[in-house]
Amino acid sequence: LKRAAWLAPAPCRWSSGLPVNIGVLFVPQQEAWVVERMGKFHRILEPGLNFLIPLLDRIRYVQSLKEIVINVPEQSAVTLDNVTLQIDGVLYLRVMDPYKASYGVEDPEYAVTQLAQTTMRSELGKLSLDRVFRERESLNANIVDAINQASDYWGIRCLRYEIKDIHVPPRVKESMQMQVEAERRKRAMVLESEGTRESAINVAEGQKQAQILASEAEKAEQINKAAGREANAVLVKARAKAEAIQLLAAALAQQHGSAAASLSVAEQYVSAFSKLAKDSNTLLLPANAGDVTSMVAQALGIYSTLTKPQAVKTQEVPPAREDPQPPSVEVLKAEEASSS
């Protein structure tokens, strides 16, 4: 029985069979053959030509040094916000130490798979459902670090871990879809309101620019009018007034000009009194409002006072004595007395 147990084939890791020791062996590239001599570890055969002693040396394990892909079965995990997920993944391994991989653990593949599942459940319990979808890369990195800390004693190194599928319960999936729809409706409403706001701003800016341009055009038009037609009108009025003053001065210089001026002042005085009390009930009248002759005399006196310096300057003659009262005023007084 002992001999049969010794001659029984040893378990093989990631290999279909164990080679038979015929003394001369050729080890393929990226493989490591673990040799036992009389049941005790002897050495590890390197790729290439190797010599062994038949019957004493036996190839116990064949380890592949290539990167190995292992499917992690689907399992359930509970997130931080108490949502149950069905999640599976893919694990990428490589044997770094064939001796530890052969004698450190009985079944390295099964051990690493179980470690990956437990680490995945513990890492998912630290995250909420939304963070699970956003932080898949960090979740994969945390699982790889946790596996490598334990697999160093097994001579195996985890290179990558990738989550394949995450299955969410149907009700949670429906609520997530409703949330996505609400978020998209919110974005659409925000974009529509921003478009309305931009449109209103553009319309207001256009109206502002139009008002500014209209006011500038009106200002330029008024300036042109003031500089053109109105200036010419003012000049024409001034020239007409100057000509009228010259004609009036020439008429006053003629014979009986002062009498005509007195008659014109009296007519204007009477016309002014006829318009009183039409616009308002409050009147301010002089004390001698009925004495027309005195008012006319006063107006002619002011006129004579204003014309004397001009006459002196133009004719350069000494001033004449002032008459006590112009003859025209006496004639007007006599006519007023006879009429009364």
Side-chain angles (χ1 to χ4, degrees), residues 244-265 300 303-304 307:
I245 292 173
Q246 291 178 359
L247 293 175
L248 181 60
L252 291 175
Q254 295 178 2
Q255 188 177 4
H256 302 295
S258 299
S262 301
L263 180 59
S264 178
V265 170
L300 292 177
Y303 171 74
S304 61
T307 54

Side-chain angles (χ1 to χ4, degrees), residues 6 9 35 66 98 110 132 161 178 183 193 196 200 267 286 318 334:
W6 184 75
V35 178
K66 299 177 183 179
Y110 177 76
V132 169
Y161 180 84
M178 293 175 62
E183 184 68 23
S193 62
T196 305
E267 289 178 352

